Every structure is written in structure tokens, then in C-alpha cells.
Amino acid sequence: MARMIASVLAIALLLFTAPATAQTPPRLEVVIAAALSVNEGEPGTPAFAEAIRLYHGLLDEAQRIDRAQLNLDDQVDHDLLIAHLRTRLFEMETIRLHEVNPASVFALGQTNQLFLRPGAIADSGVRQAVAELQRLPAALARARTILKTPARTWTENALYQAYYARLLLRDYVPRADVDSPALKAELVAAAGPALAAVDDFERWLKTDLLPRSTRSPAWKPAEIEFYQTVQEQLDDQDTDRMLAIAAAEERQLTTEMQDLARQIHPSGDLRTAWEVMKAEAPPWPHVIPMAQRYVDMMSAWLKGPGAHIVTIPDYIDYGARESPPMARRILSFGGATGGPTVAGRQSGYYILTPLEDRLTPAEKASRIKAYNPYWTHVISYHEWLGHNVQIAARNQNVTRPMRRAYRSAYFSQSWSFYLERLMEEEGYYKTLPYMEELKTKMARRQMRMWRVQRILTKLKMAKGEMTFDQAVQAYVDKIGMEPTNAFIEVQRDSQSPSSPGREIIGELEIIKLREEYKRRMGAHYSMKHFHDTLLTWGDLPFKQIRRLMFRD
């Protein structure tokens, strides 16, 4: 860490002490290296304040670069650099998430990763987990001085995360698979003070922060639009435009689902059809094997009849696994996560959240319905073929530092979402028995309506047209989501002003890009070539992907 700080300071000194003349513009690669090397530290520390100062200076330097004199690749990296710096400053200075999101202080990603694929993490990764645990007590102590007036539901979420942190430290860490007995002892020893700090912080959340958690869980439209226009570089998609697109989608999807309900159940009632589907969820011990079966089914189809769609990388190991503790509240019934790279092979998993012992029997009966076969089928290839393959392709192909570091939520989320409809359009559902095909079609439309409601609820809350409770009810009424899961979904999405249009709007951008590719390629067009090429650019805004793809 000391060497990293020294490196940043040396670069910053070079930048900020050089004569500020038109004859000596800063070099792009130097500014990028400095920006990506900044040690942000933790909120409330001198490093955090110094990072803000450095980012301002680096933004000034980046803006001094004559973009018109750069080649196309460097222009793309320059645009990404500016967006990256502006976004970090916006997050650190303007919206100040560290002051209102108490769940974010449970930064235990390194420790959590030890239990995704036990035994695969090298000693260096275990040491990172030890250091993480050693930092936690001080981070929680600082959080008491930093956190101000969150929304009540955000503090309640932090209390739930405290439960998962305690579960990780108390029950999982002692069982960690570590090669070195001495290192294992060090890990277990670090967990003791961390656990005590979590218990103490949980008490403080209940007695101090919760009573003063009076902020609205809604964000301002301008705060949401910042991400849309700056980070995602979508200048033509403001709040009203997104709402109009989502409203049209809602009407179309409702019509399609009502038609499917008439084919699925004699009553023809949509809610009855949903309940029939949810009632087919297996007991929890059978959920992960079911999910693995769907991953394998899709893999086999893509290597056979669906081989024209996309290449499945041969450098990634994948499958379905139980979610480690710290992912469970974020992914209330499943998601995707990258796993460790072992002997040069990447890994990625569709992870599924178990039914916790703390849930009542009624809550367990409700939560298990999300694991009905049809939702699980659609989500399985969204998470595996979507997120895990995209992450692996990014890691394999992207080499330029700015592009490796950039994370467009639009691209990563919309690629996975785009695949949901594509698999139906390209014939995968036709391989299923008739009634299973109908119910899987229904599930896909429920998944799509989920993303539509994400736009409608978040933006209506931002405009003062909907309350938090009404947003939860919209997920129940429009999708058939169980109330507990609907609550977690709205709670999670409300904790930041990130744009809610990443799936629906992003899919439109992919289709627009695909149509341009098809037109330009003419007789040489190949869907597979388009998708394989699309995945090589990493998590970039569509504007920049298009420039790189067509050198335009």
C-alpha cells in the first residue's frame, strides 16, 4: 500500500508541478495511470479527502488534453477517463453515499469470497481477507461519525447485513479451507475483534441511527440522470423518456401475459396462472440441482442447435452454487458472481440464496416460490450466459487500463437481459414440452416486467408520484413477486441513484447496434460474430462500443 501511495504521489507531483502551458499538455496515459492508482481510503480518513483533491486535479489535467489530436482509441479512453473522474467526484462530494448507506460499511468481500469455491483461494487471497477483517473495527467506528440521516429502510437493511456479517464471522470463518495452519489461525484470530465490532455496531444502529433515519428513500431526478448522461453517456434518455418507454412496455407485457394465462390455466386468470407456477417450486435442497440442470441444458443447446448465437468460452468454469453470506441480502433469490481464477482458468457462478433459519415458516413458504422452475430457468441463463460469460470475455480480451477499470452498468446488465428474449426468439423454448414452454414464456415476461417496474417505481418515487410502499405493491401486482422479495427489491434499488433503465434501455441500444452491424456487414452478417465481437470491449458505454466496433 505504501508503494502505491508513493507511486500516486510521484505521478501527481509530475502532473501538478509541470508548467501549465499549451506547449506541455499532459500525456493521456500518465493521467489515466494516476487516476487508476488513487488510493481512496475509507470515508472519514485523510486518504479519502486527499483522493477528492487528487481527482479534481486529475480532471483539470484531463480536460487540458487536446482530444482532437488523439487517435480514436485514445479519444475513447479520454472520454472514459473524464466520465470516471466526474462520477467518482459526484459520488464522493455530491450524493455522499457513505453518509446515508449504512449497509455499505460491511465491506467483507474478500472474506466472503473464501466460501464461494472453498479451497480455491491462494494464500495471498486469504491474507487479503485477514487484512479486511483487521480493518473492519476501525471502519465501523468511523461510520458512527460519518452516517447522518439515512432512509429508515436503508438502516433496516444494514441491520440485516449485520446478521449476515455475524453469520460469516462466527460460523463460516472457522470452517475456512486454508492450506497453511498458521494462516488459518491468523484468519480466525482476526474474526474475533471483527465480530465484536459488528455486534457493537448493530446495537448502535438500533439505538442511535434507526431513530434518526428520517430521509426519504427517493432520489432526485437530476441525480439519477447524472448516471444516465455522464457514466453511461446516453444523452437522449432523460427521466420522462424512460418513463414513456416503460409505460408502453408495461401495456404490451400485460397483454402478452394475459394471453399466456388463458393457455396455462382454465380460469384464464393471470394471477391464478402465476400462483400455479409458483406452487411448483421444489423444496430448497432440490433448488441448486435444478438450477445446475438448466445451466447444463442451455450449455448443450448452445453447442448444438444454438451454436449460431454466441461462443461459449472454453476458459471459464461455471455452475450453480449457494450464495455466501454477504451476497444474500443483495441477491435475495439469486445472482451471478465471478469466482477465483485458478491455474489460468476463470470461474463464474449462478448463486442462489438459501432459506435462512431466522425466517418464519410462513416467510420460508413465501420465499421458496421465487425458485419455481420457470423463473429459475430464465434466471439461470441470464446469470450464467449473461453475466459470467460477459465477465470472462472482458477479463480475457480487454487490455487497455482505462477500459479494464470502467464499469458500465448498462452494458453488463443489458447483455444478460437481451439474452432472455433472444433465446426464445432463436428457438430454445421450442425444445421444452408444450406446457413448460408456455410457463417459461410467462416467466420471461415476468422477468421483463420486473425491469419495467424498476424504471416506473424508481422514477415515480423520484418525482414524488409514488411512495416506497406503493412501489413494493407494484412488484406484487404487476409481476406476481412475493411481498418479501418485492420489499427487498425496492429497498436495494432505492439505496443509490443509479439509473433504473439499464436493462430495458440498454437492450434497445444493443438491438440498435446489432441492426447497424447487420446493415454494414450485408451478406457477411453473422449473429454469432456480432455477439462475440460485442463481448470483447468490456463494460463500456454503448456510445464508445459503437466507435470501437465501426472505427467511427
Side-chain angles (χ1 to χ4, degrees):
M1 181 62 71
R3 266 185 294 180
M4 177 185 291
I5 294 173
S7 174
V8 174
L9 290 176
I11 293 173
L13 185 64
L14 174 64
L15 286 169
F16 302 151
T17 59
T21 67
Q23 287 72 37
T24 59
R27 288 163 48 203
L28 176 64
E29 64 270 23
V30 175
V31 183
I32 288 175
L36 299 184
S37 300
V38 169
N39 169 33
E40 292 186 1
E42 295 179 3
T45 65
F48 190 80
E50 177 63 10
I52 292 174
R53 189 191 74 82
L54 285 172
Y55 280 146
H56 274 294
L58 290 164
L59 181 58
D60 290 342
E61 291 299 298
Q63 291 172 334
R64 287 182 57 228
I65 296 171
D66 186 354
R67 183 181 180 279
Q69 297 302 312
L70 301 175
N71 63 40
L72 188 146
D73 281 296
D74 285 345
Q75 285 182 356
V76 168
D77 288 357
H78 182 263
D79 291 350
L80 297 176
L81 172 64
I82 296 289
H84 167 72
L85 292 169
R86 289 185 61 194
T87 300
R88 290 307 296 132
L89 286 169
F90 175 71
E91 292 172 337
M92 297 168 80
E93 290 188 304
T94 303
I95 61 172
R96 303 175 72 85
L97 278 176
H98 53 280
E99 294 182 354
V100 295
N101 184 1
S104 65
V105 303
F106 294 107
L108 292 169
Q110 297 291 340
T111 309
N112 202 54
Q113 188 79 349
L114 298 177
F115 305 99
L116 174 65
R117 187 175 164 184
I121 302 293
D123 284 355
S124 59
V126 180
R127 292 190 187 94
Q128 290 176 349
V130 171
E132 179 179 75
L133 296 181
Q134 291 171 340
R135 291 193 301 270
L136 187 63
L140 295 178
R142 277 192 301 273
R144 298 187 186 201
T145 66
I146 295 168
L147 288 164
K148 298 188 182 303
T149 53
R152 184 177 182 85
T153 188
W154 300 348
T155 302
E156 290 170 343
N157 186 49
L159 286 166
Y160 219 111
Q161 282 292 72
Y163 160 77
Y164 285 123
R166 190 165 49 251
L167 181 68
L168 176 70
L169 298 169
R170 184 192 63 212
D171 297 350
Y172 278 70
V173 166
R175 305 199 312 261
D177 190 347
V178 181
D179 292 337
S180 166
L183 187 56
K184 171 70 174 288
E186 193 177 347
L187 178 71
V188 173
L195 179 58
V198 168
D199 288 341
D200 195 37
F201 188 69
E202 182 182 33
R203 285 190 290 272
W204 177 82
L205 288 172
K206 290 178 180 177
T207 59
D208 188 304
L209 190 62
L210 189 62
R212 57 185 169 93
S213 296
T214 56
R215 173 199 161 115
S216 165
W219 295 90
K220 299 174 183 176
E223 292 168 331
I224 296 171
E225 288 178 353
F226 179 94
Y227 282 95
Q228 188 87 343
T229 58
V230 176
Q231 186 182 34
E232 302 299 341
Q233 301 174 19
L234 291 168
D235 301 330
D236 58 343
Q237 297 288 353
D238 61 13
T239 297
D240 290 337
R241 172 67 176 154
M242 283 194 288
L243 280 169
I245 291 172
E249 281 272 358
E250 182 183 56
R251 291 190 294 271
Q252 178 63 31
L253 285 169
T254 300
T255 298
E256 292 179 12
M257 288 192 293
Q258 288 171 340
D259 181 62
L260 283 166
R262 287 189 284 270
Q263 301 174 66
I264 290 171
H265 194 268
S267 70
D269 178 68
L270 183 54
R271 181 163 293 279
T272 300
W274 288 342
E275 293 302 319
V276 166
M277 290 166 58
K278 289 192 287 187
E280 295 182 50
W284 167 251
H286 298 282
V287 169
I288 292 179
M290 174 180 67
Q292 182 66 57
R293 173 175 170 266
Y294 288 138
V295 168
D296 293 340
M297 282 173 57
M298 175 60 73
S299 301
W301 187 77
L302 286 170
K303 293 174 181 176
H308 64 287
I309 296 175
V310 68
T311 299
I312 300 177
D314 61 3
Y315 46 77
I316 178 174
D317 299 315
Y318 53 84
R321 303 224 166 168
E322 182 174 295
S323 305
M326 297 311 295
R328 293 177 185 173
R329 188 65 174 177
I330 298 170
L331 305 170
S332 61
F333 49 86
T337 186
T341 296
V342 179
R345 290 190 60 79
Q346 298 185 55
S347 62
Y349 299 97
Y350 169 26
I351 55 175
L352 299 101
T353 295
L355 305 179
E356 306 289 353
D357 291 339
R358 70 178 291 172
L359 297 176
T360 67
E363 288 172 330
K364 288 182 179 180
S366 173
R367 292 281 288 274
I368 194 65
K369 293 178 182 180
Y371 292 126
N372 69 77
Y374 314 105
W375 280 33
T376 303
H377 197 164
V378 176
I379 294 173
S380 69
Y381 68 80
H382 172 105
E383 305 297 354
W384 162 67
L385 179 61
H387 290 304
N388 286 320
V389 168
Q390 185 266 325
I391 292 168
R394 179 192 72 208
N395 293 342
Q396 187 76 5
N397 293 286
V398 180
T399 58
R400 294 175 73 107
M402 192 66 246
R403 297 178 200 174
R404 286 185 68 87
Y406 206 87
R407 293 290 180 269
S408 163
Y410 262 62
F411 181 73
S412 62
Q413 292 295 332
S414 62
W415 163 253
S416 300
F417 181 69
Y418 161 80
L419 290 173
E420 292 182 16
R421 183 163 69 176
L422 187 69
M423 293 302 107
E424 180 178 337
E425 292 174 343
E426 293 302 312
Y428 173 65
Y429 287 16
K430 289 297 181 184
T431 67
L432 306 174
Y434 177 71
M435 188 54 65
E436 184 177 352
E437 177 190 359
L438 291 177
K439 292 178 179 179
T440 306
K441 284 183 175 181
M442 176 70 84
R444 185 187 71 74
R445 284 153 180 82
Q446 288 175 283
M447 297 295 101
R448 190 172 187 88
M449 183 67 90
W450 177 358
R451 280 40 174 240
V452 167
Q453 294 307 313
R454 181 173 286 166
I455 295 174
L456 294 174
T457 57
K458 188 165 188 173
L459 296 187
K460 286 183 178 181
M461 285 174 63
K463 297 180 75 173
E465 299 173 0
M466 181 177 278
T467 66
F468 182 95
D469 290 343
Q470 287 171 332
V472 172
Q473 193 60 43
Y475 280 86
V476 175
D477 294 342
K478 302 291 186 177
I479 307 166
M481 188 177 284
E482 287 295 299
T484 303
N485 285 333
F487 176 86
I488 294 172
E489 172 65 20
V490 178
Q491 181 186 66
R492 179 188 65 181
D493 206 42
S494 72
Q495 289 183 132
S496 85
S498 59
S499 173
R502 48 194 180 269
E503 293 94 358
I504 296 293
I505 307 300
E507 182 195 52
L508 294 174
E509 293 295 320
I510 291 180
I511 292 172
K512 183 166 66 175
L513 196 59
R514 186 183 69 191
E515 291 306 305
E516 181 176 0
Y517 181 90
K518 187 174 183 179
R519 174 176 58 79
R520 288 175 178 266
M521 294 301 293
H524 301 291
Y525 169 74
S526 161
M527 178 185 290
K528 185 173 191 173
H529 291 164
F530 168 70
H531 292 148
D532 289 352
T533 301
L534 184 65
L535 292 175
T536 63
W537 306 117
D539 296 334
L540 304 187
F542 287 104
K543 177 181 179 179
Q544 304 301 340
I545 291 175
R546 182 193 173 279
R547 295 195 71 207
L548 293 169
M549 182 175 286
F550 300 122
R551 309 304 297 176
D552 185 6

